[in-house]
Coordinates of all heavy atoms in Angstrom, one line a residue:
V23 N 0.9 -1.2 0.0 CA 0.0 0.0 0.0 C 0.9 1.2 0.0 O 1.8 1.4 0.8 CB -0.9 0.0 1.2 CG1 -1.7 1.3 1.3 CG2 -1.8 -1.2 1.2
D24 N 0.6 2.1 -0.9 CA 1.3 3.4 -1.0 C 1.0 4.2 0.3 O -0.1 4.5 0.6 CB 0.9 4.2 -2.2 CG 1.6 5.5 -2.4 OD1 2.5 5.8 -1.6 OD2 1.2 6.2 -3.3
P25 N 2.1 4.6 1.1 CA 1.8 5.3 2.3 C 1.5 6.8 2.1 O 1.0 7.5 3.0 CB 3.1 5.2 3.1 CG 4.2 5.0 2.0 CD 3.5 4.3 0.9
A26 N 1.6 7.3 0.9 CA 1.3 8.7 0.6 C -0.2 8.9 0.7 O -1.0 7.9 0.7 CB 1.8 9.1 -0.7
G27 N -0.6 10.1 0.9 CA -2.1 10.3 0.9 C -2.5 10.8 2.3 O -1.7 11.1 3.2
K28 N -3.8 10.9 2.5 CA -4.4 11.3 3.7 C -4.9 10.1 4.5 O -5.6 9.3 3.9 CB -5.5 12.3 3.5 CG -5.0 13.6 2.9 CD -6.2 14.6 2.6 CE -6.6 15.2 3.9 NZ -7.6 16.2 3.8
W29 N -4.5 10.0 5.8 CA -4.9 8.8 6.6 C -5.6 9.3 7.8 O -5.4 10.4 8.3 CB -3.6 8.1 6.9 CG -3.0 7.4 5.8 CD1 -2.2 8.0 4.9 CD2 -3.1 6.1 5.4 NE1 -1.8 7.1 3.9 CE2 -2.3 5.9 4.2 CE3 -3.9 5.0 5.8 CZ2 -2.3 4.7 3.5 CZ3 -3.7 3.8 5.2 CH2 -2.9 3.6 4.0
C30 N -6.4 8.4 8.4 CA -7.1 8.7 9.7 C -7.2 7.4 10.5 O -6.8 6.3 10.0 CB -8.5 9.3 9.4 SG -9.7 8.0 8.8
V31 N -7.7 7.5 11.7 CA -7.9 6.4 12.5 C -9.4 6.2 12.7 O -10.1 7.1 13.1 CB -7.2 6.5 13.9 CG1 -7.5 5.3 14.8 CG2 -5.8 6.8 13.7
Q32 N -9.9 5.0 12.4 CA -11.3 4.7 12.6 C -11.5 3.7 13.7 O -10.6 2.8 13.9 CB -11.9 4.1 11.3 CG -13.4 4.1 11.3 CD -13.9 4.0 9.9 OE1 -13.7 5.0 9.1 NE2 -14.7 3.0 9.5
I33 N -12.5 3.9 14.5 CA -12.7 3.1 15.7 C -14.0 2.5 15.7 O -15.0 3.2 15.8 CB -12.5 3.9 17.0 CG1 -11.1 4.6 16.9 CG2 -12.6 3.1 18.2 CD1 -10.9 5.7 18.0
G34 N -14.1 1.1 15.7 CA -15.3 0.4 15.9 C -16.5 0.7 15.1 O -16.5 1.5 14.2
A35 N -17.5 -0.1 15.4 CA -18.8 0.2 14.9 C -19.8 -0.1 16.1 O -19.9 -1.2 16.6 CB -19.2 -0.8 13.8
F36 N -20.4 1.0 16.6 CA -21.2 0.9 17.7 C -22.7 0.8 17.3 O -23.2 1.6 16.6 CB -21.0 2.2 18.6 CG -19.7 2.4 19.1 CD1 -18.7 3.1 18.3 CD2 -19.3 2.0 20.3 CE1 -17.4 3.3 18.7 CE2 -18.0 2.1 20.7 CZ -17.1 2.8 19.9
P37 N -23.4 -0.2 17.8 CA -24.8 -0.3 17.5 C -25.6 0.8 18.1 O -26.6 1.3 17.5 CB -25.2 -1.6 18.1 CG -24.1 -2.1 19.0 CD -22.9 -1.3 18.7
D38 N -25.1 1.4 19.2 CA -25.8 2.5 19.9 C -25.2 3.8 19.6 O -24.0 4.0 19.9 CB -25.9 2.2 21.4 CG -26.7 3.2 22.2 OD1 -27.2 4.2 21.6 OD2 -26.8 3.1 23.4
E39 N -25.8 4.7 19.0 CA -25.3 6.0 18.6 C -24.8 6.8 19.8 O -23.7 7.4 19.8 CB -26.3 6.9 17.9 CG -25.9 8.2 17.5 CD -26.9 9.1 16.8 OE1 -28.1 8.7 16.9 OE2 -26.5 10.1 16.2
A40 N -25.4 6.6 21.0 CA -25.0 7.3 22.2 C -23.6 6.9 22.6 O -22.8 7.7 23.1 CB -26.0 7.1 23.3
D41 N -23.3 5.6 22.5 CA -21.9 5.1 22.8 C -20.9 5.7 21.9 O -19.8 6.1 22.4 CB -21.9 3.6 22.7 CG -22.7 2.9 23.8 OD1 -22.9 3.5 24.9 OD2 -23.1 1.8 23.6
A42 N -21.2 5.9 20.6 CA -20.2 6.5 19.7 C -20.0 8.0 20.0 O -18.9 8.4 20.0 CB -20.8 6.3 18.2
I43 N -21.1 8.6 20.3 CA -21.0 10.1 20.7 C -20.2 10.2 22.0 O -19.4 11.2 22.1 CB -22.4 10.7 20.8 CG1 -23.0 10.8 19.4 CG2 -22.3 12.1 21.4 CD1 -24.5 11.2 19.3
K44 N -20.4 9.4 22.9 CA -19.6 9.4 24.2 C -18.2 9.3 23.9 O -17.3 10.0 24.5 CB -20.1 8.4 25.2 CG -19.5 8.4 26.5 CD -20.1 7.3 27.4 CE -19.4 7.3 28.7 NZ -19.9 6.2 29.6
L45 N -17.8 8.3 23.1 CA -16.4 8.1 22.8 C -15.9 9.3 22.0 O -14.7 9.8 22.2 CB -16.2 6.8 21.9 CG -14.8 6.6 21.4 CD1 -13.8 6.5 22.6 CD2 -14.7 5.4 20.5
K46 N -16.6 9.8 21.0 CA -16.2 11.0 20.3 C -15.9 12.2 21.2 O -14.8 12.8 21.1 CB -17.3 11.4 19.3 CG -17.0 12.7 18.6 CD -18.3 13.1 17.8 CE -18.5 14.6 18.0 NZ -19.6 15.1 17.4
N47 N -16.7 12.4 22.1 CA -16.5 13.5 23.1 C -15.3 13.3 23.9 O -14.5 14.3 24.2 CB -17.7 13.8 23.9 CG -18.9 14.3 23.1 OD1 -18.7 14.9 22.1 ND2 -20.1 14.0 23.6
S48 N -15.0 12.1 24.3 CA -13.8 11.8 25.1 C -12.6 12.0 24.2 O -11.6 12.6 24.7 CB -13.9 10.3 25.5 OG -12.6 9.9 26.1
L49 N -12.6 11.6 22.9 CA -11.5 11.7 22.1 C -11.2 13.2 21.6 O -10.1 13.6 21.4 CB -11.7 10.9 20.8 CG -11.6 9.4 21.1 CD1 -12.0 8.6 19.8 CD2 -10.3 8.9 21.6
I50 N -12.3 14.0 21.6 CA -12.1 15.4 21.3 C -11.2 16.1 22.3 O -10.3 16.9 22.0 CB -13.4 16.1 21.2 CG1 -14.1 15.7 19.8 CG2 -13.3 17.6 21.3 CD1 -15.5 16.2 19.7
R51 N -11.4 15.7 23.6 CA -10.6 16.3 24.6 C -9.2 15.8 24.6 O -8.2 16.6 24.8 CB -11.2 15.9 26.0 CG -12.5 16.7 26.3 CD -13.0 16.4 27.7 NE -13.4 15.0 27.9 CZ -14.6 14.6 27.7 NH1 -15.5 15.3 27.1 NH2 -14.9 13.3 28.0
R52 N -9.0 14.6 24.2 CA -7.6 14.0 24.1 C -6.8 14.4 22.9 O -5.6 14.6 23.0 CB -7.7 12.4 24.1 CG -6.4 11.7 24.2 CD -6.6 10.3 24.4 NE -5.3 9.6 24.3 CZ -5.2 8.3 24.3 NH1 -6.2 7.5 24.3 NH2 -4.0 7.8 24.2
Y53 N -7.5 14.6 21.8 CA -6.9 15.0 20.5 C -7.4 16.3 20.0 O -8.1 16.4 19.1 CB -7.1 13.9 19.4 CG -6.5 12.5 19.8 CD1 -7.3 11.5 20.3 CD2 -5.2 12.3 19.7 CE1 -6.8 10.3 20.7 CE2 -4.6 11.1 20.0 CZ -5.5 10.1 20.5 OH -4.9 8.9 20.9
S54 N -7.0 17.3 20.8 CA -7.6 18.7 20.5 C -7.2 19.3 19.2 O -7.9 20.1 18.7 CB -7.2 19.6 21.7 OG -5.7 19.7 21.7
T55 N -6.1 18.8 18.6 CA -5.7 19.3 17.3 C -6.2 18.5 16.1 O -6.1 18.9 15.0 CB -4.2 19.4 17.2 OG1 -3.6 18.1 17.2 CG2 -3.6 20.3 18.2
A56 N -6.9 17.4 16.4 CA -7.5 16.6 15.4 C -9.0 16.9 15.2 O -9.6 17.4 16.1 CB -7.3 15.1 15.7
K57 N -9.5 16.5 14.1 CA -11.0 16.5 13.9 C -11.5 15.2 14.2 O -11.1 14.2 13.6 CB -11.2 16.9 12.4 CG -12.7 17.0 12.1 CD -12.9 17.4 10.7 CE -14.4 17.5 10.4 NZ -14.6 17.8 8.9
V58 N -12.4 15.1 15.2 CA -13.0 13.8 15.6 C -14.4 13.9 15.2 O -15.2 14.8 15.6 CB -12.8 13.6 17.2 CG1 -13.4 12.3 17.6 CG2 -11.3 13.7 17.6
I59 N -14.9 12.8 14.5 CA -16.2 12.8 14.0 C -16.9 11.5 14.4 O -16.2 10.4 14.5 CB -16.3 13.1 12.5 CG1 -15.6 12.0 11.7 CG2 -15.8 14.4 12.1 CD1 -15.8 12.0 10.2
E60 N -18.2 11.5 14.4 CA -19.0 10.3 14.6 C -20.0 10.3 13.4 O -20.5 11.3 13.0 CB -19.8 10.4 15.9 CG -20.8 9.3 16.2 CD -22.2 9.6 15.5 OE1 -22.6 10.7 15.5 OE2 -22.8 8.6 15.1
F61 N -20.2 9.1 12.8 CA -21.1 9.1 11.7 C -21.7 7.6 11.6 O -21.1 6.7 12.1 CB -20.4 9.4 10.4 CG -19.2 8.6 10.0 CD1 -19.3 7.5 9.1 CD2 -17.9 8.8 10.6 CE1 -18.2 6.7 8.8 CE2 -16.9 8.0 10.3 CZ -17.0 7.0 9.4
A62 N -22.8 7.6 10.9 CA -23.5 6.3 10.6 C -22.8 5.6 9.5 O -22.6 6.2 8.4 CB -24.9 6.5 10.3
G63 N -22.3 4.4 9.7 CA -21.7 3.5 8.7 C -22.6 2.3 8.4 O -23.7 2.2 9.0
P64 N -22.1 1.5 7.6 CA -22.9 0.3 7.2 C -23.2 -0.7 8.3 O -24.1 -1.5 8.2 CB -22.2 -0.3 6.0 CG -20.8 0.2 6.1 CD -20.9 1.5 6.8
T65 N -22.3 -0.7 9.4 CA -22.4 -1.6 10.4 C -22.7 -1.0 11.8 O -22.4 -1.6 12.8 CB -21.2 -2.5 10.5 OG1 -20.0 -1.7 10.7 CG2 -21.0 -3.4 9.3
G66 N -23.1 0.3 11.8 CA -23.3 0.9 13.1 C -22.8 2.4 13.0 O -22.6 2.9 12.0
H67 N -22.6 2.9 14.2 CA -22.0 4.3 14.3 C -20.6 4.2 14.5 O -20.1 3.6 15.5 CB -22.7 5.1 15.4 CG -24.2 5.3 15.1 ND1 -24.6 6.4 14.4 CD2 -25.3 4.5 15.3 CE1 -25.9 6.3 14.3 NE2 -26.4 5.2 14.8
W68 N -19.8 4.9 13.7 CA -18.4 4.9 13.7 C -17.8 6.2 14.3 O -18.4 7.2 14.1 CB -17.8 4.6 12.3 CG -18.2 3.3 11.8 CD1 -18.9 2.3 12.4 CD2 -17.9 2.8 10.5 NE1 -19.0 1.2 11.5 CE2 -18.4 1.5 10.3 CE3 -17.2 3.4 9.4 CZ2 -18.3 0.8 9.2 CZ3 -17.1 2.6 8.2 CH2 -17.6 1.3 8.1
V69 N -16.6 6.1 14.8 CA -15.9 7.3 15.3 C -14.5 7.3 14.5 O -13.9 6.3 14.3 CB -15.6 7.2 16.8 CG1 -14.8 8.4 17.2 CG2 -16.9 7.1 17.5
R70 N -14.2 8.5 14.0 CA -13.0 8.6 13.3 C -12.2 9.8 13.8 O -12.7 10.9 14.1 CB -13.3 8.9 11.8 CG -12.2 9.0 10.9 CD -12.6 9.2 9.4 NE -13.1 7.9 8.9 CZ -13.7 7.8 7.7 NH1 -13.9 8.9 7.0 NH2 -14.1 6.6 7.3
I71 N -10.9 9.7 13.9 CA -9.9 10.7 14.2 C -9.2 11.1 13.0 O -8.5 10.3 12.4 CB -8.9 10.3 15.3 CG1 -9.6 9.8 16.6 CG2 -7.9 11.4 15.6 CD1 -8.7 9.1 17.6
N72 N -9.3 12.4 12.6 CA -8.6 12.9 11.4 C -7.5 13.8 12.0 O -7.8 14.9 12.3 CB -9.5 13.7 10.5 CG -10.6 12.8 9.9 OD1 -10.3 11.7 9.5 ND2 -11.8 13.3 9.7
P73 N -6.3 13.3 12.1 CA -5.2 14.1 12.7 C -4.9 15.3 11.8 O -5.0 15.3 10.6 CB -4.0 13.1 12.7 CG -4.3 12.0 11.9 CD -5.8 12.0 11.6
Q74 N -4.3 16.3 12.4 CA -3.9 17.5 11.7 C -2.9 17.2 10.6 O -2.9 17.7 9.5 CB -3.4 18.6 12.7 CG -3.1 19.9 12.1 CD -2.7 20.9 13.2 OE1 -2.3 20.6 14.3 NE2 -2.9 22.2 12.8
N75 N -1.9 16.4 11.0 CA -0.9 15.9 10.0 C -1.4 14.5 9.6 O -1.2 13.5 10.3 CB 0.5 15.7 10.6 CG 1.0 17.1 11.1 OD1 0.8 18.0 10.4 ND2 1.8 17.1 12.1
A76 N -2.1 14.4 8.5 CA -2.9 13.2 8.1 C -2.0 12.2 7.3 O -2.5 11.6 6.5 CB -4.1 13.6 7.3
D77 N -0.8 12.1 7.7 CA 0.1 11.1 7.0 C -0.1 9.8 7.7 O -0.6 9.6 8.8 CB 1.5 11.6 7.1 CG 2.1 11.8 8.5 OD1 2.6 10.8 9.1 OD2 1.9 12.9 9.0
K78 N 0.4 8.7 7.0 CA 0.2 7.3 7.5 C 1.0 7.1 8.8 O 0.5 6.4 9.7 CB 0.7 6.3 6.5 CG 0.4 4.9 6.8 CD 0.7 3.9 5.8 CE 0.3 2.5 6.2 NZ 0.7 1.5 5.1
T79 N 2.1 7.7 9.0 CA 2.9 7.5 10.2 C 2.2 8.1 11.4 O 2.1 7.4 12.5 CB 4.3 8.2 10.1 OG1 5.0 7.6 9.0 CG2 5.1 8.0 11.4
T80 N 1.6 9.3 11.3 CA 0.9 9.9 12.4 C -0.4 9.0 12.7 O -0.6 8.8 13.9 CB 0.4 11.3 12.0 OG1 1.6 12.1 11.8 CG2 -0.4 11.9 13.2
A81 N -1.1 8.6 11.7 CA -2.3 7.8 12.0 C -1.9 6.5 12.6 O -2.6 6.0 13.6 CB -3.1 7.6 10.7
S82 N -0.9 5.9 12.2 CA -0.4 4.6 12.8 C 0.0 4.8 14.3 O -0.4 3.9 15.1 CB 0.8 4.1 12.0 OG 0.4 3.7 10.7
K83 N 0.6 5.8 14.6 CA 1.0 6.1 16.0 C -0.2 6.3 16.9 O -0.3 5.8 18.0 CB 1.9 7.3 16.1 CG 3.3 7.0 15.6 CD 4.2 8.3 15.7 CE 5.6 8.0 15.1 NZ 6.4 9.2 15.2
I84 N -1.2 7.0 16.4 CA -2.4 7.2 17.1 C -3.1 5.9 17.3 O -3.5 5.5 18.4 CB -3.4 8.2 16.4 CG1 -2.8 9.6 16.5 CG2 -4.8 8.2 17.1 CD1 -3.5 10.6 15.6
A85 N -3.2 5.1 16.3 CA -3.9 3.8 16.4 C -3.2 2.8 17.3 O -3.8 2.1 18.1 CB -4.0 3.1 15.0
E86 N -1.9 2.9 17.3 CA -1.1 2.0 18.2 C -1.2 2.4 19.7 O -1.1 1.6 20.6 CB 0.4 2.0 17.8 CG 0.7 1.3 16.5 CD 2.1 1.6 16.0 OE1 2.9 2.1 16.8 OE2 2.3 1.2 14.8
N87 N -1.4 3.7 19.9 CA -1.3 4.2 21.3 C -2.7 4.5 21.9 O -2.8 4.8 23.1 CB -0.5 5.5 21.4 CG 1.0 5.2 21.1 OD1 1.5 4.3 21.7 ND2 1.5 5.9 20.2
I88 N -3.7 4.4 21.1 CA -5.1 4.7 21.7 C -5.6 3.4 22.4 O -5.4 2.3 22.0 CB -6.0 5.1 20.6 CG1 -7.3 5.7 21.2 CG2 -6.4 4.0 19.7 CD1 -8.1 6.4 20.2
H89 N -6.2 3.7 23.5 CA -6.8 2.6 24.3 C -8.3 2.9 24.5 O -8.6 3.9 25.3 CB -6.1 2.4 25.7 CG -4.6 2.1 25.5 ND1 -4.2 0.9 25.1 CD2 -3.6 2.9 25.7 CE1 -2.9 0.9 25.0 NE2 -2.5 2.1 25.4
V90 N -9.1 2.2 23.9 CA -10.6 2.4 23.9 C -11.2 1.3 24.8 O -11.2 0.2 24.5 CB -11.2 2.4 22.5 CG1 -12.7 2.7 22.6 CG2 -10.5 3.4 21.6
P91 N -11.7 1.7 26.0 CA -12.2 0.7 26.9 C -13.7 0.2 26.6 O -14.5 0.1 27.5 CB -12.2 1.5 28.3 CG -12.5 2.9 27.9 CD -11.8 3.1 26.5
V92 N -13.9 0.1 25.3 CA -15.2 -0.4 24.9 C -15.0 -1.7 24.1 O -14.3 -1.7 23.1 CB -15.9 0.7 23.9 CG1 -17.2 0.2 23.5 CG2 -16.0 2.0 24.7
P93 N -15.7 -2.8 24.5 CA -15.6 -4.0 23.7 C -15.9 -3.9 22.3 O -16.9 -3.2 21.9 CB -16.6 -5.0 24.4 CG -16.8 -4.4 25.8 CD -16.6 -2.9 25.6
G94 N -15.1 -4.4 21.4 CA -15.3 -4.4 20.0 C -14.9 -3.1 19.3 O -15.0 -3.0 18.1
A95 N -14.4 -2.1 20.1 CA -13.9 -0.8 19.5 C -12.5 -0.9 19.2 O -11.6 -0.6 20.0 CB -14.2 0.3 20.4
L96 N -12.1 -1.4 18.0 CA -10.7 -1.6 17.6 C -10.3 -0.5 16.7 O -10.9 -0.3 15.6 CB -10.6 -3.0 17.0 CG -10.9 -4.2 17.9 CD1 -10.9 -5.5 17.0 CD2 -10.1 -4.2 19.1
P97 N -9.2 0.2 17.0 CA -8.8 1.3 16.1 C -8.0 0.7 14.9 O -7.3 -0.3 15.0 CB -7.9 2.1 16.9 CG -7.4 1.2 18.0 CD -8.5 0.2 18.2
Y98 N -8.2 1.2 13.7 CA -7.4 0.8 12.6 C -7.3 2.1 11.7 O -8.1 3.0 11.7 CB -8.0 -0.3 11.8 CG -9.5 -0.2 11.4 CD1 -9.8 0.3 10.1 CD2 -10.5 -0.4 12.3 CE1 -11.1 0.4 9.7 CE2 -11.8 -0.3 11.9 CZ -12.1 0.2 10.6 OH -13.4 0.3 10.3
I99 N -6.3 2.1 10.8 CA -6.0 3.2 10.0 C -6.8 3.0 8.6 O -6.9 1.9 8.2 CB -4.6 3.5 9.8 CG1 -3.8 2.4 9.1 CG2 -3.9 3.9 11.1 CD1 -2.4 2.8 8.7
V100 N -7.2 4.2 8.1 CA -8.0 4.2 6.8 C -7.4 5.3 6.0 O -7.2 6.4 6.4 CB -9.5 4.5 7.1 CG1 -10.2 4.6 5.8 CG2 -10.1 3.4 8.0
R101 N -7.2 5.0 4.7 CA -6.7 6.0 3.8 C -8.0 6.7 3.2 O -8.9 6.1 2.8 CB -6.0 5.3 2.6 CG -5.4 6.4 1.7 CD -4.5 5.8 0.6 NE -4.1 6.8 -0.3 CZ -3.1 6.7 -1.1 NH1 -2.5 5.5 -1.2 NH2 -2.8 7.7 -1.9
L102 N -7.9 8.0 3.2 CA -9.1 8.8 2.9 C -9.1 9.2 1.4 O -10.1 9.7 0.9 CB -9.1 10.1 3.7 CG -9.3 9.9 5.2 CD1 -9.2 11.2 5.9 CD2 -10.6 9.2 5.5
N103 N -8.0 9.1 0.7 CA -7.9 9.4 -0.7 C -7.2 8.4 -1.5 O -6.7 7.4 -1.1 CB -7.3 10.8 -0.9 CG -5.8 10.8 -0.5 OD1 -5.3 9.8 0.1 ND2 -5.2 11.9 -0.7

């Protein structure tokens, strides 16, 4: 996979929108320079962290270091373009 491009960290698929919003609000406080969004996806409500420096290295570091205390909420990186 070409590492160039814009990358983000996506976290889980929550069946309950309120759980996704709760996580989003928590992550907004932790990643104040990133854009944190919650949106409806094909398998539930997802949370995404779009770092200010949207390179693959930055996204990978966030994914490796984030600890989400919600079962099934696994962070992974996604290329946006």
Side-chain angles (χ1 to χ4, degrees):
V23 174
D24 180 6
K28 294 178 78 173
W29 293 81
C30 71
V31 179
Q32 193 156 302
I33 306 167
F36 299 87
D38 185 356
E39 181 181 14
D41 290 337
I43 291 171
K44 182 177 176 181
L45 176 61
K46 173 189 135 182
N47 291 336
S48 171
L49 293 173
I50 285 172
R51 289 187 293 275
R52 185 171 174 190
Y53 298 100
S54 60
T55 61
K57 180 178 179 183
V58 181
I59 61 171
E60 174 274 327
F61 60 97
T65 58
H67 293 270
W68 297 356
V69 177
R70 183 178 283 171
I71 302 170
N72 296 323
Q74 188 172 20
N75 297 325
D77 59 88
K78 187 175 183 182
T79 300
T80 300
S82 294
K83 286 180 183 177
I84 291 171
E86 290 170 10
N87 293 311
I88 194 167
H89 301 287
V90 182
V92 179
L96 302 173
Y98 55 95
I99 63 171
V100 174
R101 186 172 176 169
L102 297 175
N103 60 356

